[in-house]
């Protein structure tokens, strides 16, 4: 039975044929073409089976040039060219936030990241100056390089210069204008919270980010209350310093713990009253914030030469002074707040918490915070490794939904993938971007944009920030010292002299 089964199975198998036997039959019509070409088959047998073609989007864009992204839209000022859509790229954080489609954004804040000379400053200046005709305003709380001064002067803005011989002072404890529609109790609570947060940030920052104890907190609260009473609700750092001295001497409290805790905050504020920061923030303000100005710049370039700590303390004071003015929701104003060297606002836990709250309330106040960093490694200056401060700083930056990523160094490869969750292909692209090109992440979509900040000579002269690095031949006036010879003066004249004679002869070149 088994032999019978095996024989039946062998009979059921198809007969083996050679490759020659499996060749295509002769066409029904003589000649190179058969009727299969016109009847849908090949040689009247069957339709061809062609596998699907697979390729990257980069190659498909070259094969099929009509495949392009729809772009972000046409609302807002023109920033540059969308290289993927071959169209103008418009951007406004408020328009993106108001967009109900899938291309909309849930935040108005923008993170700007890129190495030196990648075009960050020129792009942001382009965005802000072109946003002014749309009714938007801008504030630069601290301009460490003084590069925004010329922009403010060009758009008829306001420049507040600190340091040097100006004598200008800002009081970070200013009450600020009252928010429209707020009750007396709400206004007093907001002013008090801002004042105490500023004082605690200054003290913690000056002592190296060390957290204050509960007794030191109580001491600062008491000194601020006494300063408010002594000045008729116009406290200054000088008056808080005096009240801390009285607490340390035991005049305002019979608790020895408060007297001992007053020494550290008092010595910190002593820098503002008698030290290297005197004459800037310790007394009443001598300047006012122009609420109607299109661009307000606080020039702190004279102070940043004194060291990083002075720069950080200055940035906290100026930011607190500006925030007291622009945090009025009912005023119906939309403002950019440009935070140059954004990591300087994150040097202590109190400053980080205030920074995080300010970013979260940006939509509430109609503000777009533009945080500028050279690299993600800048945040390594915040706290110790794996500390609460550093993790919070990375969390704050990572939560900013809108991002402009310019050319980065190869050391940033891991940080961009791990901290910003950028795809590997985008990270590789970011390392090869040209000056002025950036990857824009708005909502759930990404765009490759080329900012043409040099579309006019006026913009080029206004936005360039590397004059000190330009070759000597490009410096104004230098070309007059060395004038190149006209080509006609050294060109051979057809006077019968052959080429060899012309090369050997001495010619007058003028």
């Amino acid at each position: 039975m088994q032999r019978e089964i095996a024989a039946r199975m062998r009979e059921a198998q198809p007969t083996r044929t050679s490759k020659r036997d499996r060749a295509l039959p002769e066409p029904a019509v003589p000649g190179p073409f058969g009727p299969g070409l016109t009847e849908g088959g090949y040689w009247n047998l069957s339709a061809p089976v062609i596998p699907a073609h697979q390729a990257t989007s980069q190659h498909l864009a070259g094969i099929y040039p009509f495949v392009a992204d729809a772009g972000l839209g046409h609302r807002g000022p023109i920033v540059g060219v969308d290289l993927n859509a071959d169209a103008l790229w418009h951007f406004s954080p408020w328009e993106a936030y108001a967009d109900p489609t899938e291309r909309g954004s849930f935040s108005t804040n923008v993170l700007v990241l890129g190495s030196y000379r990648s075009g960050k400053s020129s792009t942001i200046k382009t965005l802000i100056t072109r946003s002014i005709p749309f009714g938007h305003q801008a504030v630069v709380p601290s301009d460490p390089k003084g590069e925004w001064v010329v922009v403010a002067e060009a758009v008829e803005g306001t420049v507040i210069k600190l340091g040097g011989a100006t004598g200008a002072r800002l009081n970070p404890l200013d009450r600020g204008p009252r928010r429209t529609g707020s009750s007396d109790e709400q206004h007093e609570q907001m002013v008090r919270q801002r004042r105490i947060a500023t004082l605690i940030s200054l003290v913690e920052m000056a002592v190296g980010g060390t957290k204050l104890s509960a007794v030191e907190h109580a001491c600062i609260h008491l000194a601020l209350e006494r300063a408010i009473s002594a000045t008729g609700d116009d406290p200054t750092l000088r008056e808080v310093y005096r009240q801390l001295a009285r607490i340390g001497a035991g005049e305002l409290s019979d608790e020895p713990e408060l007297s001992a805790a007053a020494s550290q905050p008092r010595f910190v504020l002593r820098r503002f009253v008698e030290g290297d920061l005197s004459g800037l923030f310790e007394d009443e303000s001598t300047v006012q914030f122009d609420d109607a100005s299109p661009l307000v710049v606080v020039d702190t370039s004279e102070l940043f030469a004194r060291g990083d700590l002075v720069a950080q303390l200055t940035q906290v004071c100026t930011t607190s002074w500006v925030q007291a003015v622009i945090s009025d929701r009912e005023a119906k104003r939309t403002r950019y707040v440009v935070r140059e060297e954004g990591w300087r606002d994150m040097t202590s836990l109190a400053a980080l918490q205030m920074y995080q709250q300010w970013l979260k309330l940006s939509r509430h106040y109609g503000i777009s915070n533009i945080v500028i960093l050279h690299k993600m490694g800048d945040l390594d200056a915040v706290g110790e490794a794996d500390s609460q401060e550093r993790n919070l700083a990375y969390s704050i930056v990572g939560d900013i939904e809108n991002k402009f990523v310019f050319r980065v160094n190869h050391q940033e490869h891991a940080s961009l993938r791990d901290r910003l969750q950028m795809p590997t292909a985008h990270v590789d692209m970011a390392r090869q971007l040209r000056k002025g090109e950036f990857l824009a992440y708005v909502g759930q979509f990404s765009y490759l944009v080329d900012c043409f900040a040099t579309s006019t000579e006026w913009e080029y002269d206004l936005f360039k920030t590397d004059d000190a690095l330009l070759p000597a031949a490009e410096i104004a006036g230098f070309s007059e010292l060395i004038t190149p010879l006209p080509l006609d003066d050294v060109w051979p004249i057809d006077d019968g002299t052959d080429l060899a004679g012309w090369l050997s002869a001495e010619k007058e070149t003028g």
Side-chain angles (χ1 to χ4, degrees), residues 29-93:
V29 179
F33 301 104
L37 294 177
T38 59
E39 295 179 4
Y42 180 78
W43 295 98
N44 294 330
L45 293 180
S46 61
V49 179
I50 303 176
H53 178 69
Q54 295 182 355
T56 63
S57 57
Q58 182 178 5
H59 294 138
L60 287 176
I63 300 174
Y64 303 103
F66 51 85
V67 178
D69 184 56
L72 187 58
H74 62 277
R75 295 180 299 178
I78 299 173
V79 179
V81 177
D82 187 347
L83 299 181
N84 289 331
D86 194 19
L88 295 177
W89 196 72
H90 302 247
F91 177 74
S92 170

Side-chain angles (χ1 to χ4, degrees), residues 1-11:
M1 185 179 295
Q2 291 180 354
R3 287 195 296 270
E4 183 69 18
I5 293 174
R8 297 286 182 90
M9 292 180 63
R10 286 194 298 270
E11 293 177 358

Side-chain angles (χ1 to χ4, degrees), residues 264-283:
Q264 182 166 269
R266 180 167 61 89
F267 282 113
V268 170
L269 295 184
R270 185 175 181 178
R271 296 187 61 178
F272 293 89
V273 178
E274 302 174 359
D276 53 349
L277 289 174
S278 60
L280 298 174
F281 307 106
E282 74 274 19
D283 293 319

Side-chain angles (χ1 to χ4, degrees), residues 139-142 144 315 319 323 326 336-343 345-346 354-355 358-359 367-373:
V139 180
V140 184
S142 179
Q315 194 141 329
T319 302
Q323 288 176 353
I326 65 178
Y336 291 99
V337 179
V338 183
R339 299 179 180 271
E340 292 276 359
E341 307 287 345
W343 61 271
D345 294 333
M346 309 179 186
M354 185 170 59
Y355 196 99
W358 188 248
L359 291 177
I367 295 171
S368 174
N369 292 278
I370 300 180
V371 182
I372 302 178
L373 300 175

Side-chain angles (χ1 to χ4, degrees), residues 167-187:
R169 290 194 304 273
L170 301 179
N171 181 15
L173 302 181
D174 271 342
R175 168 175 287 271
R178 180 167 179 162
R179 296 180 186 174
T180 307
S182 62
S183 62
D184 294 340
E185 182 179 357
Q186 291 174 341
H187 181 61

Side-chain angles (χ1 to χ4, degrees), residues 104-238:
S105 176
F106 296 106
S107 173
T108 57
N109 300 318
V110 182
L111 171 66
V112 180
L113 179 68
S115 60
Y116 293 95
R117 299 199 69 188
S118 60
K120 301 187 305 297
S121 297
S122 297
T123 300
I124 300 305
K125 292 173 184 176
T126 300
L127 172 62
I128 288 178
T129 54
R130 295 178 183 175
S131 298
I132 293 176
F134 287 79
H136 307 310
Q137 298 171 285
V139 180
V140 184
S142 179
D143 183 13
K145 303 175 184 177
E147 60 186 35
W148 284 90
V149 174
V150 62
V151 181
E153 294 173 348
V155 299
E156 299 182 357
T158 304
V159 177
I160 302 173
K161 187 176 181 60
L162 296 180
T166 61
R169 290 194 304 273
L170 301 179
N171 181 15
L173 302 181
D174 271 342
R175 168 175 287 271
R178 180 167 179 162
R179 296 180 186 174
T180 307
S182 62
S183 62
D184 294 340
E185 182 179 357
Q186 291 174 341
H187 181 61
E188 292 299 327
Q189 183 178 5
M190 287 184 291
V191 171
R192 178 179 175 82
Q193 289 177 350
R194 185 176 61 249
R195 285 171 171 174
I196 194 65
T198 301
L199 283 174
I200 293 177
S201 297
L202 290 176
V203 175
E204 288 187 350
M205 190 179 301
V207 297
T210 304
K211 298 180 182 179
L212 299 180
S213 62
V215 181
E216 290 172 332
H217 271 270
C219 185
I220 294 176
H221 276 268
L222 178 60
L224 178 60
E225 291 178 359
R226 298 295 301 178
I228 292 174
S229 301
T231 59
D233 200 13
D234 190 16
T236 61
L237 293 182
R238 183 185 296 275

